Amino acid sequence: MAVIQANANEVKLLARLMRAEAEGDGELGMLMVGNVGVNRVRVRCLDFVDINSIERMVWQSPGGFEAVHYPYFYQRAREKDIRLAQRCINGERFHPAEFSLWFFRPDGPCPARWWGQWNAGRYKSHCFYNPTQSDCPDVYRTY
């Protein structure tokens, strides 16, 4: 059962984003990026008050994703990437990104805080950041 609404084109858009942002971190890394995207669509807090669809989440500016500025993002979604995106849309969550609204790829260790948000952990090259429960309680809601 989906935790956010998504048509076939939006599933493919999320799949392309996950691949472009984290293919080098393998399927689990891509799933974690998918968690961040789905979380941004689910919540109405902080920078994501007006983000209510995958399309709006992917193209959010400012505050969006770096991958949309590079040609690799514009390649057709592969079936295996679409399946990964659908898993995230269906509510699968993966630590440390299960409650994250941000991630980035630092050159060194993960900073304890990034843009005022606390580090939830690292997976391969990406650090994941969670909002506080008081700032964004909806992200901690169970399905």
Side-chain angles (χ1 to χ4, degrees):
M1 180 169 168
V3 297
I4 61 170
Q5 291 184 342
N7 62 36
N9 287 333
E10 288 178 310
V11 175
K12 290 175 185 174
L13 185 61
L14 179 61
R16 291 173 29 214
L17 179 72
M18 292 165 58
R19 177 179 170 189
E21 288 283 356
E23 184 176 37
D25 286 351
E27 287 188 4
L28 185 54
M30 291 170 60
L31 286 163
M32 290 180 193
V33 166
N35 282 163
V36 170
V38 168
N39 286 341
R40 288 181 176 192
V41 175
R42 286 182 52 241
V43 302
R44 298 293 174 268
C45 62
L46 301 168
D47 297 333
F48 312 106
V49 174
D50 295 325
I51 304 301
N52 58 9
S53 70
I54 290 174
E55 187 168 349
R56 288 186 74 153
M57 176 270 299
V58 168
W59 301 112
Q60 181 183 7
S61 181
F65 296 95
E66 185 177 347
V68 302
H69 301 289
Y70 297 98
Y72 194 63
F73 170 77
Y74 294 92
Q75 293 182 7
R76 183 177 60 80
R78 302 175 299 193
E79 284 304 314
K80 69 180 186 175
D81 304 326
I82 292 169
R83 284 191 299 274
L84 294 177
Q86 191 63 60
R87 288 175 64 186
C88 293
I89 291 166
N90 288 345
E92 288 188 50
R93 293 181 176 182
F94 304 91
H95 181 76
E98 64 262 69
F99 307 117
S100 295
L101 292 175
W102 304 273
F103 65 86
F104 87 111
R105 182 181 183 157
D107 291 332
C110 296
R113 291 185 72 155
W114 187 62
W115 294 99
Q117 309 307 315
W118 291 102
N119 178 259
R122 182 180 198 131
Y123 182 75
K124 295 190 178 183
S125 64
H126 288 91
C127 303
F128 294 87
Y129 291 83
N130 294 354
T132 64
Q133 192 153 9
S134 61
D135 282 339
C136 197
D138 286 349
V139 81
Y140 296 99
R141 199 177 34 155
T142 58
Y143 309 129

